[in-house]
Amino acid sequence: MLTLQRRHLVGHDILLARHGNHICSMRVDRPNGRVVALLDDGTLDSAPNVIAPDLDLPLGVDSLLREDWKLLAAMSGAAAAFAALMVGAAVVIGNALGETASLEILSAYPPF
């Protein structure tokens, strides 16, 4: 099942288990795949951010955009083209009527 949630960082759990309430702040070092923590006494500690490199993690929104951007772009383009076609058809129909009263009725009609 596809879940769109933020991936849980293993390094946070490891550092919390090691140091508990002595952690002032944590940051993710993405290039090295680690989580770095600043401790109360000013020292730094780090932990790896993965359990196993070949572990299949649930997909997040960023991975969906990275993998399916062509499909999303094509569908967005098709929706925009369809909307432009409908607006153009409404303009053509409005101009074909020729009367200003009918144009006012078409422009004043609520969309809901």
Side-chain angles (χ1 to χ4, degrees):
M1 171 136 186
L2 178 66
T3 56
L4 297 177
Q5 59 185 348
R6 184 174 174 258
R7 291 186 181 186
H8 188 69
L9 301 177
V10 178
H12 283 168
D13 288 342
I14 295 170
L15 290 170
L16 284 171
R18 284 185 197 163
H19 304 290
N21 291 335
H22 297 288
I23 297 175
C24 292
S25 66
M26 282 195 269
R27 67 176 176 83
V28 179
D29 185 12
R30 293 196 192 280
N32 295 324
R34 301 185 70 76
V35 176
V36 181
L38 175 65
L39 305 176
D40 287 348
D41 58 358
T43 60
L44 293 174
D45 190 16
S46 66
N49 205 18
V50 293
I51 297 173
D54 58 345
L55 182 66
D56 233 358
L57 294 174
L59 294 176
V61 175
D62 55 343
S63 62
L64 279 178
L65 291 177
R66 184 174 47 249
E67 294 171 5
D68 296 332
W69 68 271
K70 290 179 184 176
L71 175 66
L72 293 172
M75 293 186 73
S76 298
F82 183 72
L85 181 68
M86 291 296 109
V87 168
V91 168
V92 167
I93 290 171
N95 286 335
L97 294 176
E99 298 177 17
T100 57
S102 357
L103 289 174
E104 289 177 9
I105 291 172
L106 285 175
S107 63
Y109 186 76
F112 49 87

